[in-house]
Amino acid sequence: MTAPLSLYWWNDAMNFGDDLSREIVAHVSGRTVDWAQKPRADMVAIGSVLQGVRRQFKDGPPKGKKIRVWGTGLMHPVPTDFLPHVRMHLVRGPITATLLGLDHDRFGDPGLLASDTFGDQGTRRDRIGFIPHINHVDDPMVAEVLAAEPRLFLIDPRRPARAVVAEIATCAHVVSSSLHGLVVADSYGVPNTWLDPTGIHTNAALKFYDYAAGIERPLAPPLKLGDLPGILGRLKDRPLAYLDGIEKARDALRMSFPAALRADAPAMAG
């Protein structure tokens, strides 16, 4: 298995969460990973891309092979007509599983394996990382809060995963409107808070609750940007209360990765 593994991820713009998919799959599989369109890909991993998988596979595998799904999630309900034409190894959380009618009892977002993939990133610093979703980075309200709050350290998500992970892992606390800002922080045991800068987190909320339920994490409604300055001094750096849920998900991710896609897979592995 020396040929590159073909993986689909959203690549319309640089976004660390999508680049994270490539890095983590390469680490777990032991193979080089190349981007491929969904009909030609071996698998999908990080991201809410099952809607697109459904569109491509509802009438059967376009290229004659079933794409493998590992840790992927939904953004909204979809018909389940594509399920006979894909291989479901693991989904992100129980909301995705319920919407698809899957009888799964283990879940996980592959981003939880960031600490396995990138390793120790050094000593934590006394700073609060602020990670906007790529759609929020240039919002004037975000810029205003950052300018007024020297305690906030901007972590720009429009960079490769390796650079962003290194900054998240060394924060005392992370505030993020990017799901994978929270996921990577969880991977490194960094306390974190969900933020919704615009106050219009509608359909996107499903992916946050899906992920949180998958690791047995109580998740409060997102913090509004205007409330952030008033609570900065109260953000805690205590150990995560749901570490057991994180470890269960990490074990599920490691065990469910398709054996046939690993570098050491036997020639006829299924």
Side-chain angles (χ1 to χ4, degrees), residues 128 130 142-154 225-233:
I128 298 172
F130 183 98
V142 169
E144 183 178 340
V145 169
L146 286 168
E149 292 294 339
R151 290 172 290 183
L152 292 175
F153 170 71
L154 175 64
L225 190 61
D227 296 332
L228 181 57
I231 69 143
L232 285 178

Side-chain angles (χ1 to χ4, degrees), residues 229-253:
I231 69 143
L232 285 178
R234 303 199 303 271
L235 292 177
K236 305 298 183 182
D237 60 359
R238 63 179 60 142
L240 304 183
Y242 47 93
L243 284 173
D244 286 349
I246 291 173
E247 286 308 313
K248 288 179 185 176
R250 286 156 62 93
D251 287 345
L253 286 157

